[in-house]
Amino acid sequence: MLRNRTPYADRRPKEVDRKPRRAVMLLFAVLLLAGVVSALAYGGWRLAVRTSLFVVTNVSIEGLDRLGEEAIREAAGLDGRPVNLLAFASRRMAAAVVAHPWVQTATVDKRWPDGLVIRVQERKPIALVNLDGDLYYLDRGGEAFFRPEAGDDFDFPVISGLPAAAGHQLGDNAAVQAALQFLALAGKERMVLPEQNVSELLVRPGGGLVVFLADRPFPIFLGGDDMGGIYFRLSRVLYWLYKKNEFEDTAYIRLDLGSDRVLVGKVG
């Protein structure tokens, strides 16, 4: 008796599915090609960096007033060393320029193939602030940013009376903010109380300010939170004193006695 035999067709080896193998080989080829392209690109980049093709030779610096171009070049790292446009970040160079005490903001733009444009906004001092016996320029943001030296401009109002531990960041100091607001109002004045006539703003220990004028250094006591209203009343009082020819006989003016009270003291 013959045993049942599997048909010949069923005994042939099954055909292997070649699709996964082809996908792996294709992926390997793609990765190999990407590696070759990356290596060639990196080699080309290294070659371009080492050549003089993209070396900075043309630098334009805009926005300077007090500073010279050499100071900005030095801060940016352009003081004699070759700089390739491919090998540095504009933001990092701009941050290095802003680190200069006189620079408030800076931007750096690349101009291919060999140029840079550096735009600078300098700090503008509006006062001098006395910090523990040393004078510093103060900008509108309340930052004491530079200690002037011989030959620098000292013709600014002086803010004094701050404690030794006040620090250089004075933007949140209420007394300094009041003094800056007063100077901003005086900066808009052209007749009665121009900014140039303000000599000193003394911060009182208990709060408030004492203002001294350049042409007649009697104390003017300021108090309260409404600096705009205080300045308006002071302007009216000074105008009245000038008009009545009583300015020279004034010993003090007090505007710290209430919102509607002004007291003018007379000499003698």
Side-chain angles (χ1 to χ4, degrees):
M1 181 177 180
L2 295 176
R3 297 179 180 178
N4 293 331
R5 294 182 179 180
T6 303
Y8 178 76
D10 293 340
R11 287 186 285 117
R12 288 180 301 175
K14 295 183 178 181
E15 184 177 355
V16 178
D17 189 359
R18 299 178 180 276
K19 291 183 179 180
R21 183 181 299 176
R22 291 176 180 174
V24 171
M25 294 180 64
L26 179 61
L27 178 61
F28 177 77
V30 171
L31 292 177
L32 180 61
L33 179 61
V36 172
V37 172
S38 298
L40 291 175
Y42 179 73
W45 178 82
R46 290 291 300 271
L47 180 62
V49 168
R50 292 180 179 180
T51 65
S52 60
L53 181 60
F54 299 111
V55 173
V56 175
T57 58
N58 183 20
V59 180
S60 175
I61 303 175
E62 302 175 0
L64 297 182
D65 183 21
R66 182 188 187 278
L67 294 175
E69 289 193 2
E70 192 61 34
I72 300 301
R73 286 176 176 271
E74 182 177 353
L78 300 171
D79 51 343
R81 294 176 296 173
V83 175
N84 194 296
L85 288 181
L86 295 173
F88 80 95
S90 299
R91 291 185 178 180
R92 184 175 299 177
M93 180 177 286
V97 174
V98 171
H100 192 285
W102 273 94
V103 177
Q104 186 170 2
T105 62
T107 59
V108 177
D109 294 324
K110 298 179 180 180
R111 293 291 185 266
W112 301 94
D114 60 357
L116 280 179
V117 178
I118 303 176
R119 296 181 178 89
V120 173
Q121 181 180 357
E122 295 183 358
R123 297 184 186 276
K124 302 295 183 182
I126 64 169
L128 291 164
V129 59
N130 189 330
L131 296 175
D132 199 21
D134 293 323
L135 291 177
Y136 292 86
Y137 285 132
L138 188 73
D139 64 14
R140 291 194 181 278
E143 181 176 352
F145 64 91
F146 186 76
R147 183 179 177 183
E149 304 171 348
D152 288 330
D153 187 4
F154 285 83
D155 190 18
F156 292 94
V158 177
I159 299 175
S160 60
L162 294 171
H168 288 223
Q169 299 290 340
L170 302 169
D172 295 330
N173 188 297
V176 173
Q177 284 300 310
L180 291 175
Q181 187 178 0
F182 182 89
L183 291 175
L185 292 168
K188 301 175 182 179
E189 180 67 70
R190 294 294 182 268
M191 297 295 293
V192 179
L193 183 55
E195 182 182 10
Q196 294 82 358
N197 198 26
V198 180
S199 175
E200 182 180 359
L201 298 99
L202 174 65
V203 177
R204 301 170 66 183
L209 297 172
V210 183
V211 177
F212 296 91
L213 305 180
D215 57 354
R216 179 67 175 172
F218 55 75
I220 302 173
F221 297 88
L222 307 181
D225 298 326
D226 182 17
M227 184 56 69
I230 293 171
Y231 185 87
F232 175 73
R233 293 197 303 276
L234 176 59
S235 297
R236 293 185 63 182
V237 170
L238 291 176
Y239 176 76
W240 184 85
L241 292 174
Y242 278 116
K243 187 176 180 179
K244 297 295 183 179
N245 200 23
E246 297 184 9
F247 189 74
E248 296 295 331
D249 297 327
T250 302
Y252 60 83
I253 300 175
R254 302 203 62 166
L255 293 99
D256 59 341
L257 303 175
S259 59
D260 297 326
R261 296 184 62 187
V262 178
L263 179 62
V264 178
K266 298 293 183 178
V267 176

